[in-house]
Amino acid sequence: MDLLIPSTGLLFWMSLTFLVVLFILWKFGFPVITNMVKERKAFIDDSLRKAHEANERLANIQKEGESILQEAREKQAQILKEAAETREAIVTKAKTDARVEGARLLNDAKAEIEQEKKAAIADIRKQVATLSVEIAEKVLRQSLQGDKAQMDLIDRMLDDVNKK
């Protein structure tokens, strides 16, 4: 039965030992344990705060990276647009220059044709004048007695001109 109900002396010394250990723990152990728990809690809180700040910085860096990518895409689009505009300007200028050069060549060709035409007309006039002088000279050299003789002479001379 001693196992279930301890004696009063034993109970007294156990209680006294318990109270001494409790007092020593209360005075020296619990404050150290409490401080360690508080320090651990502060360390965990600080680590969580730093992790949160790191996540915010990472999110900011990602946003910044996205904005840089967007800016790069916009610059690329702008450069492509400027290149297309430059290409269009070059093509338009080349077409304009080609039209101007074509018109100039056409005008030059027309002027050359006109000069050749004038030269040909002048040559024909010269030949007609020469023929007229030759005909007049032959007519004057011969004595013409009638209209029939004059017409025969004119026909012969025209046949001679056609043979040349």
Side-chain angles (χ1 to χ4, degrees):
M1 198 83 191
D2 276 342
L3 287 175
L4 295 174
I5 300 175
S7 67
T8 23
L10 180 64
L11 190 60
F12 171 75
W13 287 111
M14 282 176 49
S15 297
L16 183 68
T17 306
F18 177 75
L19 288 174
V20 169
V21 169
L22 182 65
F23 176 75
I24 291 172
L25 284 175
W26 194 269
K27 190 73 173 165
F28 301 108
F30 288 142
V32 172
I33 292 171
T34 308
N35 284 339
M36 287 175 63
V37 169
K38 286 180 183 176
E39 287 175 8
R40 181 73 178 154
K41 183 181 180 291
F43 177 74
I44 290 172
D45 288 343
D46 188 45
S47 295
L48 287 174
R49 182 183 52 78
K50 287 180 181 177
H52 183 68
E53 288 175 1
N55 282 338
E56 286 178 358
R57 276 191 250 147
L58 181 61
N60 288 340
I61 289 171
Q62 286 176 341
K63 287 179 184 177
E64 207 174 291
E66 289 174 6
S67 68
I68 289 171
L69 282 174
Q70 182 64 28
E71 185 178 325
R73 287 185 189 118
E74 289 172 0
K75 283 184 179 179
Q76 179 187 17
Q78 181 181 4
I79 289 170
L80 290 174
K81 181 181 175 186
E82 289 173 0
E85 289 172 356
T86 303
R87 179 182 52 89
E88 288 297 322
I90 289 171
V91 168
T92 303
K93 185 178 184 313
K95 285 181 181 179
T96 303
D97 290 347
R99 283 190 192 113
V100 168
E101 183 66 18
R104 186 189 63 80
L105 290 174
L106 184 62
N107 288 338
D108 289 350
K110 284 180 181 179
E112 188 176 332
I113 290 170
E114 188 64 30
Q115 287 175 348
E116 288 179 14
K117 179 181 169 184
K118 287 179 181 177
I121 290 173
D123 188 42
I124 290 172
R125 285 185 180 168
K126 184 178 175 185
Q127 288 178 2
V128 167
T130 304
L131 287 176
S132 297
V133 169
E134 287 177 7
I135 291 173
E137 184 180 326
K138 288 182 182 181
V139 167
L140 289 176
R141 284 187 185 169
Q142 289 184 359
S143 64
L144 299 175
Q145 297 173 353
D147 287 339
K148 186 173 179 191
Q150 288 177 359
M151 289 305 286
D152 287 342
L153 179 63
I154 290 173
D155 286 338
R156 271 185 287 135
M157 287 185 186
L158 285 177
D159 287 339
D160 288 343
V161 169
N162 286 336
K163 290 179 185 178
K164 290 183 182 180

PDB file of all heavy atoms in Angstrom, residues 132-144 150 153-154 157:
ATOM      1  N   SER A 132      14.123  72.709-158.329  1.00  0.00           N
ATOM      2  CA  SER A 132      13.394  73.812-158.967  1.00  0.00           C
ATOM      3  C   SER A 132      14.333  74.665-159.798  1.00  0.00           C
ATOM      4  O   SER A 132      14.007  75.068-160.925  1.00  0.00           O
ATOM      5  CB  SER A 132      12.715  74.691-157.920  1.00  0.00           C
ATOM      6  OG  SER A 132      11.760  73.959-157.215  1.00  0.00           O
ATOM      7  N   VAL A 133      15.520  74.928-159.252  1.00  0.00           N
ATOM      8  CA  VAL A 133      16.500  75.721-159.994  1.00  0.00           C
ATOM      9  C   VAL A 133      16.933  74.961-161.239  1.00  0.00           C
ATOM     10  O   VAL A 133      17.064  75.533-162.328  1.00  0.00           O
ATOM     11  CB  VAL A 133      17.699  76.077-159.092  1.00  0.00           C
ATOM     12  CG1 VAL A 133      18.850  76.650-159.896  1.00  0.00           C
ATOM     13  CG2 VAL A 133      17.260  77.056-158.009  1.00  0.00           C
ATOM     14  N   GLU A 134      17.160  73.663-161.110  1.00  0.00           N
ATOM     15  CA  GLU A 134      17.583  72.859-162.264  1.00  0.00           C
ATOM     16  C   GLU A 134      16.494  72.836-163.333  1.00  0.00           C
ATOM     17  O   GLU A 134      16.781  72.959-164.527  1.00  0.00           O
ATOM     18  CB  GLU A 134      17.908  71.418-161.829  1.00  0.00           C
ATOM     19  CG  GLU A 134      19.209  71.303-161.054  1.00  0.00           C
ATOM     20  CD  GLU A 134      19.456  69.873-160.580  1.00  0.00           C
ATOM     21  OE1 GLU A 134      18.701  68.937-160.948  1.00  0.00           O
ATOM     22  OE2 GLU A 134      20.404  69.686-159.799  1.00  0.00           O
ATOM     23  N   ILE A 135      15.244  72.658-162.853  1.00  0.00           N
ATOM     24  CA  ILE A 135      14.127  72.642-163.825  1.00  0.00           C
ATOM     25  C   ILE A 135      14.026  73.991-164.518  1.00  0.00           C
ATOM     26  O   ILE A 135      13.885  74.078-165.746  1.00  0.00           O
ATOM     27  CB  ILE A 135      12.806  72.265-163.136  1.00  0.00           C
ATOM     28  CG1 ILE A 135      12.825  70.798-162.703  1.00  0.00           C
ATOM     29  CG2 ILE A 135      11.612  72.528-164.034  1.00  0.00           C
ATOM     30  CD1 ILE A 135      11.642  70.373-161.865  1.00  0.00           C
ATOM     31  N   ALA A 136      14.113  75.046-163.725  1.00  0.00           N
ATOM     32  CA  ALA A 136      14.006  76.385-164.308  1.00  0.00           C
ATOM     33  C   ALA A 136      15.148  76.629-165.273  1.00  0.00           C
ATOM     34  O   ALA A 136      14.966  77.223-166.345  1.00  0.00           O
ATOM     35  CB  ALA A 136      14.015  77.435-163.206  1.00  0.00           C
ATOM     36  N   GLU A 137      16.338  76.127-164.898  1.00  0.00           N
ATOM     37  CA  GLU A 137      17.491  76.306-165.780  1.00  0.00           C
ATOM     38  C   GLU A 137      17.286  75.570-167.096  1.00  0.00           C
ATOM     39  O   GLU A 137      17.546  76.096-168.177  1.00  0.00           O
ATOM     40  CB  GLU A 137      18.742  75.779-165.061  1.00  0.00           C
ATOM     41  CG  GLU A 137      20.020  75.994-165.815  1.00  0.00           C
ATOM     42  CD  GLU A 137      21.207  75.446-165.036  1.00  0.00           C
ATOM     43  OE1 GLU A 137      21.192  75.497-163.788  1.00  0.00           O
ATOM     44  OE2 GLU A 137      22.127  74.959-165.686  1.00  0.00           O
ATOM     45  N   LYS A 138      16.796  74.353-167.014  1.00  0.00           N
ATOM     46  CA  LYS A 138      16.571  73.567-168.243  1.00  0.00           C
ATOM     47  C   LYS A 138      15.459  74.195-169.072  1.00  0.00           C
ATOM     48  O   LYS A 138      15.531  74.189-170.308  1.00  0.00           O
ATOM     49  CB  LYS A 138      16.233  72.120-167.887  1.00  0.00           C
ATOM     50  CG  LYS A 138      17.436  71.356-167.382  1.00  0.00           C
ATOM     51  CD  LYS A 138      17.084  69.933-167.076  1.00  0.00           C
ATOM     52  CE  LYS A 138      18.266  69.176-166.519  1.00  0.00           C
ATOM     53  NZ  LYS A 138      17.961  67.797-166.226  1.00  0.00           N
ATOM     54  N   VAL A 139      14.431  74.693-168.366  1.00  0.00           N
ATOM     55  CA  VAL A 139      13.321  75.310-169.091  1.00  0.00           C
ATOM     56  C   VAL A 139      13.819  76.555-169.820  1.00  0.00           C
ATOM     57  O   VAL A 139      13.472  76.810-170.983  1.00  0.00           O
ATOM     58  CB  VAL A 139      12.168  75.657-168.137  1.00  0.00           C
ATOM     59  CG1 VAL A 139      11.140  76.570-168.791  1.00  0.00           C
ATOM     60  CG2 VAL A 139      11.498  74.387-167.640  1.00  0.00           C
ATOM     61  N   LEU A 140      14.638  77.316-169.158  1.00  0.00           N
ATOM     62  CA  LEU A 140      15.140  78.525-169.775  1.00  0.00           C
ATOM     63  C   LEU A 140      16.111  78.208-170.913  1.00  0.00           C
ATOM     64  O   LEU A 140      16.226  78.969-171.855  1.00  0.00           O
ATOM     65  CB  LEU A 140      15.836  79.407-168.728  1.00  0.00           C
ATOM     66  CG  LEU A 140      14.903  80.075-167.720  1.00  0.00           C
ATOM     67  CD1 LEU A 140      15.724  80.825-166.678  1.00  0.00           C
ATOM     68  CD2 LEU A 140      13.941  81.011-168.416  1.00  0.00           C
ATOM     69  N   ARG A 141      16.830  77.143-170.849  1.00  0.00           N
ATOM     70  CA  ARG A 141      17.800  76.798-171.882  1.00  0.00           C
ATOM     71  C   ARG A 141      17.098  76.375-173.169  1.00  0.00           C
ATOM     72  O   ARG A 141      17.657  76.511-174.250  1.00  0.00           O
ATOM     73  CB  ARG A 141      18.704  75.670-171.409  1.00  0.00           C
ATOM     74  CG  ARG A 141      19.726  76.158-170.423  1.00  0.00           C
ATOM     75  CD  ARG A 141      20.698  75.077-170.117  1.00  0.00           C
ATOM     76  NE  ARG A 141      21.614  75.511-169.082  1.00  0.00           N
ATOM     77  CZ  ARG A 141      22.436  74.745-168.447  1.00  0.00           C
ATOM     78  NH1 ARG A 141      22.472  73.471-168.709  1.00  0.00           N
ATOM     79  NH2 ARG A 141      23.229  75.244-167.546  1.00  0.00           N
ATOM     80  N   GLN A 142      16.015  75.759-172.974  1.00  0.00           N
ATOM     81  CA  GLN A 142      15.332  75.318-174.200  1.00  0.00           C
ATOM     82  C   GLN A 142      14.317  76.374-174.607  1.00  0.00           C
ATOM     83  O   GLN A 142      13.729  77.049-173.792  1.00  0.00           O
ATOM     84  CB  GLN A 142      14.598  74.000-173.937  1.00  0.00           C
ATOM     85  CG  GLN A 142      15.521  72.841-173.772  1.00  0.00           C
ATOM     86  CD  GLN A 142      14.718  71.545-173.614  1.00  0.00           C
ATOM     87  OE1 GLN A 142      13.511  71.577-173.617  1.00  0.00           O
ATOM     88  NE2 GLN A 142      15.421  70.454-173.515  1.00  0.00           N
ATOM     89  N   SER A 143      14.218  76.420-175.805  1.00  0.00           N
ATOM     90  CA  SER A 143      13.201  77.352-176.266  1.00  0.00           C
ATOM     91  C   SER A 143      11.918  76.567-176.395  1.00  0.00           C
ATOM     92  O   SER A 143      11.851  75.558-177.074  1.00  0.00           O
ATOM     93  CB  SER A 143      13.597  77.978-177.596  1.00  0.00           C
ATOM     94  OG  SER A 143      13.664  76.982-178.579  1.00  0.00           O
ATOM     95  N   LEU A 144      10.977  77.018-175.687  1.00  0.00           N
ATOM     96  CA  LEU A 144       9.717  76.296-175.677  1.00  0.00           C
ATOM     97  C   LEU A 144       8.776  76.997-176.636  1.00  0.00           C
ATOM     98  O   LEU A 144       8.579  78.191-176.579  1.00  0.00           O
ATOM     99  CB  LEU A 144       9.144  76.275-174.256  1.00  0.00           C
ATOM    100  CG  LEU A 144      10.039  75.586-173.214  1.00  0.00           C
ATOM    101  CD1 LEU A 144       9.444  75.728-171.840  1.00  0.00           C
ATOM    102  CD2 LEU A 144      10.213  74.126-173.555  1.00  0.00           C
ATOM    103  N   GLN A 150       6.275  72.313-173.357  1.00  0.00           N
ATOM    104  CA  GLN A 150       6.594  72.588-171.950  1.00  0.00           C
ATOM    105  C   GLN A 150       6.138  71.427-171.069  1.00  0.00           C
ATOM    106  O   GLN A 150       6.875  70.988-170.162  1.00  0.00           O
ATOM    107  CB  GLN A 150       5.893  73.873-171.493  1.00  0.00           C
ATOM    108  CG  GLN A 150       6.491  75.115-172.078  1.00  0.00           C
ATOM    109  CD  GLN A 150       5.723  76.373-171.647  1.00  0.00           C
ATOM    110  OE1 GLN A 150       4.737  76.289-170.918  1.00  0.00           O
ATOM    111  NE2 GLN A 150       6.183  77.514-172.119  1.00  0.00           N
ATOM    112  N   LEU A 153       8.467  68.474-171.451  1.00  0.00           N
ATOM    113  CA  LEU A 153       9.728  68.742-170.750  1.00  0.00           C
ATOM    114  C   LEU A 153       9.559  68.543-169.236  1.00  0.00           C
ATOM    115  O   LEU A 153      10.392  67.918-168.576  1.00  0.00           O
ATOM    116  CB  LEU A 153      10.199  70.169-171.054  1.00  0.00           C
ATOM    117  CG  LEU A 153      11.493  70.581-170.356  1.00  0.00           C
ATOM    118  CD1 LEU A 153      12.663  69.707-170.816  1.00  0.00           C
ATOM    119  CD2 LEU A 153      11.782  72.038-170.607  1.00  0.00           C
ATOM    120  N   ILE A 154       8.485  69.053-168.675  1.00  0.00           N
ATOM    121  CA  ILE A 154       8.229  68.910-167.232  1.00  0.00           C
ATOM    122  C   ILE A 154       8.060  67.439-166.884  1.00  0.00           C
ATOM    123  O   ILE A 154       8.627  66.958-165.877  1.00  0.00           O
ATOM    124  CB  ILE A 154       6.998  69.735-166.810  1.00  0.00           C
ATOM    125  CG1 ILE A 154       7.325  71.231-166.883  1.00  0.00           C
ATOM    126  CG2 ILE A 154       6.552  69.379-165.389  1.00  0.00           C
ATOM    127  CD1 ILE A 154       6.131  72.135-166.660  1.00  0.00           C
ATOM    128  N   MET A 157      11.469  65.699-166.894  1.00  0.00           N
ATOM    129  CA  MET A 157      12.291  66.091-165.742  1.00  0.00           C
ATOM    130  C   MET A 157      11.798  65.403-164.464  1.00  0.00           C
ATOM    131  O   MET A 157      12.604  64.977-163.638  1.00  0.00           O
ATOM    132  CB  MET A 157      12.267  67.599-165.573  1.00  0.00           C
ATOM    133  CG  MET A 157      13.063  68.322-166.610  1.00  0.00           C
ATOM    134  SD  MET A 157      13.072  70.052-166.214  1.00  0.00           S
ATOM    135  CE  MET A 157      13.899  70.666-167.637  1.00  0.00           C
TER     136      MET A 157
END
